[in-house]
Amino acid sequence: MREPTIARNYAEALFAAGERAGAELTETFVVLLEGVAGAIEADERVRLALESPRVPKPVKQRIVERALARRAPEQFIRFLTAVIRRGRQGLIPAISRQYQALVDIKLNRVHAGVTVARAPDPKLAAEIQRRLSEITGQEVVPHFRENPRILGGAIVRIGDRIMDGSLRRKLLALRRQMLGTSRA
């Protein structure tokens, strides 16, 4: 099996465990899994300790158990130790992404990349989120990025769909229109 398929299988197993234990636990697992994946990706020492063949699997499992004791539900700790026992700890970031996708489907939620000329204030960010939710019919989680080259407006990407409402695109379209009519 390929890594994305394996990561998806683990994510589905954790999702099922969370759903059996209660919806609030499913969402708690999102935060915990993102935290563990973030620690692995951000701290070279954590990644090396978990991926090194020199560190025995039982030692890795104890490290994870101690690190998460009193911070995570027992089901989550058991899940991570099972991942380590099977030598799949390198897939934790991919499992996290797959798990997030499953929770998003369950909650009818999509993520949107929103490029703006400058950072929006909280009121504008909330309005953008509300309008995108209306357009898509789903809860939209906007992820803002700044790019002063668009001059104003916004470029929104949801999945493979792009909505370009940037001032730069509008000016370029106006320019093409004016150049096209001046030749006639």
Side-chain angles (χ1 to χ4, degrees), residues 161-178:
R161 207 167 127 195
I162 297 175
M163 297 170 267
D164 189 346
S166 67
L167 184 56
R168 179 182 176 147
R169 185 196 55 82
K170 290 176 183 177
L171 288 171
L172 288 172
L174 179 62
R175 179 175 182 243
R176 280 192 295 271
Q177 183 180 21
M178 290 175 72

Side-chain angles (χ1 to χ4, degrees), residues 132-178:
L132 290 173
S133 294
E134 284 177 5
I135 291 168
T136 63
Q138 296 176 294
E139 178 189 347
V140 174
V141 179
H143 301 278
F144 291 97
R145 200 181 77 152
E146 292 180 50
N147 182 350
R149 294 186 314 160
I150 71 167
L151 303 176
I155 300 171
V156 178
R157 180 182 194 114
I158 300 175
D160 60 355
R161 207 167 127 195
I162 297 175
M163 297 170 267
D164 189 346
S166 67
L167 184 56
R168 179 182 176 147
R169 185 196 55 82
K170 290 176 183 177
L171 288 171
L172 288 172
L174 179 62
R175 179 175 182 243
R176 280 192 295 271
Q177 183 180 21
M178 290 175 72

Side-chain angles (χ1 to χ4, degrees), residues 2-169:
R2 293 184 34 226
E3 286 187 4
T5 304
I6 296 168
R8 177 78 177 200
N9 289 342
Y10 277 101
E12 288 173 349
L14 182 62
F15 184 80
E19 288 294 292
R20 280 192 305 274
E24 66 282 345
L25 204 52
T26 301
E27 294 188 51
T28 300
F29 288 168
V30 169
V31 175
L32 291 169
L33 201 49
E34 282 179 353
V36 172
I40 291 169
E41 291 175 332
D43 191 334
E44 184 74 12
R45 295 173 300 165
V46 172
R47 188 181 62 74
L48 288 174
L50 287 176
E51 292 182 3
S52 173
R54 290 182 156 181
V55 179
K57 289 178 185 178
V59 172
K60 294 175 188 181
Q61 291 171 311
R62 282 195 301 276
I63 290 170
V64 168
E65 288 169 349
R66 284 187 194 134
L68 295 176
R70 294 185 296 270
R71 291 188 180 105
E74 185 61 34
Q75 298 98 314
F76 184 77
I77 296 171
R78 281 196 315 266
F79 170 78
L80 283 181
T81 58
V83 169
I84 293 167
R85 186 173 45 254
R86 290 174 179 87
R88 301 293 190 180
Q89 60 275 11
L91 292 178
I92 291 173
I95 293 168
S96 176
R97 288 187 294 276
Q98 292 289 336
Y99 187 83
Q100 178 68 56
L102 291 170
V103 172
D104 287 344
I105 290 167
K106 176 189 179 229
L107 298 176
N108 193 31
R109 180 170 58 195
V110 294
H111 294 261
V114 181
T115 304
V116 291
R118 25 177 226 284
D121 61 51
K123 186 176 176 182
L124 179 59
E127 179 63 17
I128 290 170
Q129 187 271 332
R130 185 188 67 74
R131 296 277 308 272
L132 290 173
S133 294
E134 284 177 5
I135 291 168
T136 63
Q138 296 176 294
E139 178 189 347
V140 174
V141 179
H143 301 278
F144 291 97
R145 200 181 77 152
E146 292 180 50
N147 182 350
R149 294 186 314 160
I150 71 167
L151 303 176
I155 300 171
V156 178
R157 180 182 194 114
I158 300 175
D160 60 355
R161 207 167 127 195
I162 297 175
M163 297 170 267
D164 189 346
S166 67
L167 184 56
R168 179 182 176 147
R169 185 196 55 82

